[in-house]
Amino acid sequence: DGVCGLLHLAITLGGTRTIQFRSPNEMHEVQLDPGSFYLTSPFLFDHGVRYAKASEDTGSLLTLMCRFGFFNEKDTLWAGGEHGPRMHNITEIIATCLKDAIDTSELRLPTLQEVRAWEEDHQLPAQS
C-alpha cells in the first residue's frame, strides 16, 4: 500500500474475506464477514487479503474502503517518500488522536438502528 493506506477503514458489506498480517513473531488471520470492519494503517506493515469464492451461501464480495486522498501529485509524492523518523512521528500522532477519539466516543460507527433511521429520514424518490 502507498501512503493513501496511512489510514484505512474497510467495512465488509457482503461475502467473506480474510486479512492476514504479521506481528514481529507470528502471522495472524482474521475472517471478515458482512458487518466486520477494521481501521488500520496498512502502509506501515506487511499484510494481505484472501478472498473467499462467491457462493449461494456467502454471496458476492462487497467491501467499502475509505482511505486518504491527496489533492495533488506533489503532496502524494512527498508523503509517500517519508519513511524515517518524521513518518514515525506522524503515525504516533495519528494513533494518539484515534485512541483519544475512540476512548471518548467521538469516533464510532453508527448502529444499525441509526443507519435505518437515517435511511427513513432521507429516502430518495423512486426512479422510473
Side-chain angles (χ1 to χ4, degrees):
D1 281 46
V3 72
C4 292
L6 188 55
L7 188 60
H8 176 91
L9 172 67
I11 305 169
T12 303
L13 302 174
T16 300
R17 60 200 188 105
T18 302
I19 186 167
Q20 304 165 307
F21 59 95
R22 182 183 314 276
S23 68
N25 299 318
E26 61 186 305
M27 284 293 293
H28 304 272
E29 290 191 356
V30 178
Q31 183 172 313
L32 303 166
D33 297 313
S36 299
F37 71 93
Y38 60 88
L39 179 65
T40 188
S41 296
F43 174 65
L44 302 174
F45 61 91
D46 290 334
H47 68 285
V49 179
R50 195 172 62 238
Y51 300 93
K53 191 173 185 177
S55 71
E56 287 185 24
D57 294 333
T58 63
S60 297
L61 179 67
L62 179 62
T63 304
L64 175 65
M65 297 190 184
C66 308
R67 305 173 71 126
F68 273 125
F70 293 92
F71 290 113
N72 62 57
E73 185 179 6
K74 181 181 173 190
D75 289 343
T76 305
L77 293 173
W78 172 83
E82 289 291 325
H83 290 288
R86 286 177 54 166
M87 183 54 74
H88 179 77
N89 290 341
I90 291 168
T91 59
E92 290 220 345
I93 290 167
I94 290 171
T96 300
C97 290
L98 287 173
K99 181 185 181 314
D100 291 347
I102 291 167
D103 287 349
T104 59
S105 296
E106 292 177 29
L107 176 64
R108 67 178 186 81
L109 291 176
T111 65
L112 182 56
Q113 183 179 4
E114 290 170 330
V115 171
R116 287 184 174 154
W118 186 93
E119 279 182 322
E120 222 172 87
D121 291 344
H122 296 85
Q123 284 187 350
L124 298 175
Q127 294 183 357
S128 47

